[in-house]
Amino acid sequence: MLNTKLPAINDKEDSFVPDGLPPVIDAHVHVFPEGIFSAVWQWFEKHGWSIRYQLRTGQVFEFLLARGVAHIVALQYAHKPGISRQLNHYMAKKCRLYPNQVTGMATIFPSEDDAEEILQDAFDDGLGGLKLHAHVQCFDMNAEYMNPIYECCRINQKPVVMHAGREPKSPAYPCDPYEICRADKLERVLKDFPDLNVCVPHMGFDEISAYRRLIEKYDNLWLDTTMVLADYFPLEEPIELNAYRADRVMYGTDFPNIPYAWDRELKRLKSADIPYDRLERMLNKNARDFFGIRL
C-alpha cells in the first residue's frame, strides 16, 4: 500500500476532548526511549507519513491527559533481539510516574533467546500485557516459538495487542505482511489459546470483514479503531460501527505517530449516529475490561 509517502493533513485540533462524550481511554499510544522514537519518526518520514506530534514520552502523556483523556495504554515494540529488557525497564519506569493514568505494555522480540523469561520479568515489574507487531518483528504467529509466549500471557492473565492485520503495508518492512498476516492464522491462535485475550489494532485492516466475523465467533478477540476512523486510509469497505459487536471494539489513535489532528477520530465518533451506551463501551468500558483498568 505505502509505495510512496502518504500526505499529512493540516486539520484543526481542539484543546480538549469534545463535550458530550463518555470518559475516553486511548488504548493505542506509542512511547519509546528518545533514540528509538527519533528513528521511528525518520522511518515514517521516508516510508509512511510525516509525524505531526514529535513528542517525547513524558510529553505524550501530558499532552493527552491535559486534553481530557482519562487513561492511556502505552505500547512499544522491540524491532530487533537484545533490546526488550531495556525497553520494558523504560516503560515500567515511565508508567510508575502515572500510576492511575497510564497502563504500560511489555515487549519481546518473539524468536529471541529467553523471550518467555524477559516477558515474565516485565509482568513482575508491573507491565499490563504484551504488544507485538508482525510487520516490524516478522514473526509467524503460528510458529512453535510463539506458544510459550502466549502461555506466559495466559498464565499471568495478561492480554496481547498484536498488529496482525495486513495493512498498512510498506516495501520498507523486512518482510511481506501479506505472507505472515492473515485472519485465519490469528483464528488458530484464538482456538489454541481460548483463555488468552487478544486485540488486533486497526480493525484488522485490510481484512475488515473477516475480523468482524471473528469477534462474533470468539469471546477472546477484541479490535481497536486506530487510524481507520480518520478517513485517512482508502478503505475498500466502510466501517459501520453499529454493526459490530458492541463489547469488542476499543478506541485507539496511534498517537503521537499520526499525520492529522489528535482529536480527529473523536470528533467523527461524536458526530456519528452511535448510541451513547455503545460509545461508552467503545471509549472506555471495553478497554477497562480488556486491560483491567480502573478509572
Side-chain angles (χ1 to χ4, degrees):
M1 176 181 175
L2 299 182
N3 294 318
T4 59
K5 193 174 77 169
L6 293 174
I9 299 176
N10 189 27
D11 53 340
K12 180 180 179 293
E13 65 176 36
D14 289 321
S15 58
F16 209 76
V17 169
D19 289 338
L21 290 178
V24 173
I25 295 175
D26 190 334
H28 197 121
V29 174
H30 284 291
V31 299
F32 293 100
E34 184 172 338
I36 295 178
F37 238 157
S38 295
V40 168
W41 295 334
Q42 290 171 16
W43 187 95
F44 271 95
E45 182 64 36
K46 184 176 181 180
H47 303 292
W49 49 80
S50 295
I51 303 299
R52 180 161 169 167
Y53 300 95
Q54 296 193 15
L55 305 174
R56 305 303 177 188
T57 296
Q59 295 172 318
V60 168
F61 294 158
E62 293 296 337
F63 183 100
L64 293 176
L65 294 172
R67 283 157 177 78
V69 174
H71 198 92
I72 295 163
V73 179
L75 310 177
Q76 59 179 344
Y77 46 81
H79 65 284
K80 63 181 181 180
I83 65 171
S84 299
R85 285 191 186 277
Q86 170 194 346
L87 288 174
N88 291 335
H89 288 317
Y90 176 85
M91 179 69 82
K93 179 180 178 181
K94 292 296 183 180
C95 291
R96 278 194 284 271
L97 300 175
Y98 302 86
N100 300 313
Q101 297 167 300
V102 179
T103 296
M105 300 288 278
T107 183
I108 48 92
F109 193 82
S111 59
E112 70 182 319
D113 293 338
D114 302 324
E116 184 182 3
E117 178 186 331
I118 294 170
L119 186 57
Q120 184 62 57
D121 288 346
F123 292 158
D124 292 343
D125 202 20
L127 296 184
L130 172 64
K131 162 67 173 178
L132 297 170
H133 197 313
H135 295 203
V136 175
Q137 297 175 313
C138 293
F139 62 89
D140 178 355
M141 68 185 82
N142 298 144
E144 190 68 28
Y145 59 75
M146 295 300 298
N147 292 338
I149 295 169
Y150 298 142
E151 186 65 13
C152 182
C153 292
R154 188 194 69 80
I155 290 173
N156 285 274
Q157 296 183 305
K158 302 292 187 180
V160 177
V161 177
M162 187 189 312
H163 188 142
R166 301 186 302 187
E167 292 285 357
K169 176 184 177 179
S170 170
Y173 286 126
C175 53
D176 184 352
Y178 275 59
E179 293 293 326
I180 61 174
C181 298
R182 293 197 316 271
D184 64 299
K185 291 173 72 70
L186 193 277
E187 184 172 15
R188 178 176 161 187
V189 177
L190 300 173
K191 286 180 177 178
D192 290 347
F193 296 88
D195 296 330
L196 175 67
N197 290 337
V198 178
C199 176
V200 173
H202 312 288
M203 305 292 280
F205 179 45
D206 71 320
E207 295 182 286
I208 288 173
S209 292
Y211 278 99
R212 182 167 59 84
R213 290 191 294 269
L214 285 180
I215 61 169
E216 295 292 339
K217 188 175 180 181
Y218 295 96
D219 287 338
N220 56 331
L221 176 62
W222 281 251
L223 305 174
D224 82 31
T225 66
T226 300
M227 291 194 76
V228 294
L229 301 184
D231 195 24
Y232 185 70
F233 297 127
L235 303 179
E236 293 185 1
E237 51 191 305
I239 296 176
E240 301 290 348
L241 288 172
N242 285 328
Y244 276 75
R245 183 173 169 180
D247 60 346
R248 286 299 182 270
V249 176
M250 296 182 278
Y251 166 76
T253 60
D254 243 347
F255 190 84
N257 297 336
I258 54 176
Y260 45 71
W262 72 277
D263 55 351
R264 182 179 178 89
E265 290 167 296
L266 286 176
K267 290 175 180 176
R268 287 179 176 268
L269 286 170
K270 182 181 178 182
S271 64
D273 185 21
I274 302 174
Y276 187 89
D277 60 341
R278 181 178 282 269
L279 272 178
E280 189 172 32
R281 285 181 174 273
M282 187 184 312
L283 290 175
N284 69 75
K285 188 177 188 305
N286 293 341
R288 295 198 330 255
D289 292 344
F290 184 79
F291 294 103
I293 296 168
R294 295 183 179 180
L295 291 184

